[in-house]
Amino acid sequence: SKIVRAAEEGKPQTIWQVQSKARRKFREVLARAAAEAAHRIHARALIALTLSGRTAMRVSKLRSFVPVLAVTPQAGICRRANLYWGVTPVKHRFVTNSDRLRASVERTLMKDDFISPGDPVAWLGGVQLGRMAHDFLQLREVPRVRQSGTSTAVHDTKKRRRKRVAS
């Protein structure tokens, strides 16, 4: 415990006190924005989609007040993310469609009691296409699920389709 206390002394306690010296400014700024936005909306979790673990590591360095869930398809990255401050790794298969991936990850996280319907969450991730990187930050509420197991939006869409067919 002396080692932990010594390591923690002088460390910044909030994300706003951290001085960043990153090479990749855009990703550092996005990680900082995600952590701050998640804190301001009282997010239940900051969900970091990552293939390399770097996204979760960037947020971990900020010592966010919001729990960080590092979602990755690779077991090795999960093991490494276990060592990051405030990060809980979640192994999950990635799919190419972003809407399906988000819905699938939300179902898994709800099943494992990390999040609940109606909880505000922050999503952070990126896509590397050759030399071009497309990073994103999204703030949203976890969709509420009807008793039938479908989300409200899916239920409403089916209802509208039935009305059109009946007309």
Side-chain angles (χ1 to χ4, degrees):
S1 94
K2 287 180 185 179
I3 295 171
V4 172
R5 275 190 234 125
E8 293 293 323
E9 279 182 17
K11 295 283 183 183
Q13 297 303 310
T14 66
I15 60 175
W16 301 277
Q17 295 171 337
V18 174
Q19 297 298 318
S20 176
K21 294 180 182 177
R23 290 182 191 156
R24 296 182 185 211
K25 295 265 187 213
F26 291 117
R27 290 185 174 163
E28 288 295 322
V29 167
L30 194 58
R32 183 183 298 263
E36 185 173 344
H39 175 68
R40 288 183 183 222
I41 66 166
H42 305 286
R44 174 73 183 244
L46 193 161
I47 303 165
L49 299 176
T50 183
L51 288 172
S52 66
R54 286 189 211 109
T55 303
M57 183 177 63
R58 284 185 186 98
V59 178
S60 172
K61 287 179 181 180
L62 299 171
R63 307 246 173 166
S64 174
F65 295 114
V66 177
V68 178
L69 302 174
V71 179
T72 181
Q74 300 175 26
I77 300 302
C78 281
R79 286 190 297 274
R80 186 181 314 147
N82 266 318
L83 301 174
Y84 300 156
W85 189 93
V87 174
T88 302
V90 177
K91 188 171 183 291
H92 192 282
R93 184 177 59 88
F94 279 13
V95 294
T96 55
N97 181 301
S98 62
D99 291 333
R100 281 194 213 135
L101 175 61
R102 189 177 302 110
S104 177
V105 168
E106 284 176 345
R107 279 192 303 274
T108 298
L109 295 178
M110 282 190 281
K111 185 183 81 171
D112 294 341
D113 292 325
F114 287 115
I115 59 175
S116 301
D119 283 344
V121 293
W123 287 82
L124 177 64
V127 176
Q128 186 80 31
L129 300 172
R131 298 184 114 177
M132 295 292 293
H134 303 281
D135 300 307
F136 70 89
L137 165 61
Q138 183 182 43
L139 306 175
R140 61 184 265 134
E141 279 189 5
V142 178
R144 296 191 186 277
V145 179
R146 297 210 181 233
Q147 288 181 345
S148 65
T150 59
S151 72
T152 306
V154 171
H155 180 74
D156 291 344
T157 303
K158 287 180 180 177
K159 197 174 182 180
R160 278 188 293 234
R161 284 184 190 151
R162 277 187 246 138
K163 283 183 181 178
R164 278 191 230 141
V165 172
S167 300

